[in-house]
Amino acid sequence: MTTVTNLNQFRKTKARKDKRASADENAVKFGRTKAQKDLEKARAEKDRRDLDGKSTT
């Protein structure tokens, strides 16, 4: 005798997997970690301060 499969549950599980796969793809394409964002912000701020310090106005 075979087991009974709940099709609603199967459909929802498949949708979750598809959504997760799509999110993972987007994270690879566009995502940066918080540490990377903070580092980039700190470097930009330092560059700005260095440039302001070197100006001769």
Side-chain angles (χ1 to χ4, degrees), residues 41-55:
K41 185 177 178 182
R43 284 183 178 162
E45 179 64 24
K46 183 182 182 312
D47 289 343
R48 187 192 60 76
R49 281 183 287 143
D50 289 347
L51 186 61
D52 287 345
K54 292 180 182 177
S55 67

Side-chain angles (χ1 to χ4, degrees), residues 4-52:
V4 177
T5 303
N6 185 342
L7 295 179
N8 287 330
Q9 187 178 17
F10 178 77
R11 186 174 61 246
K12 288 180 182 181
T13 303
K14 184 179 182 319
R16 275 189 224 110
K17 285 181 186 177
D18 292 344
K19 190 172 183 180
R20 178 62 185 223
S22 174
D24 289 341
E25 286 178 18
N26 286 338
V28 169
K29 282 185 196 174
F30 305 109
R32 293 181 298 162
T33 64
K34 184 175 175 94
Q36 289 171 330
K37 290 177 188 176
D38 289 343
L39 180 62
E40 184 177 316
K41 185 177 178 182
R43 284 183 178 162
E45 179 64 24
K46 183 182 182 312
D47 289 343
R48 187 192 60 76
R49 281 183 287 143
D50 289 347
L51 186 61
D52 287 345

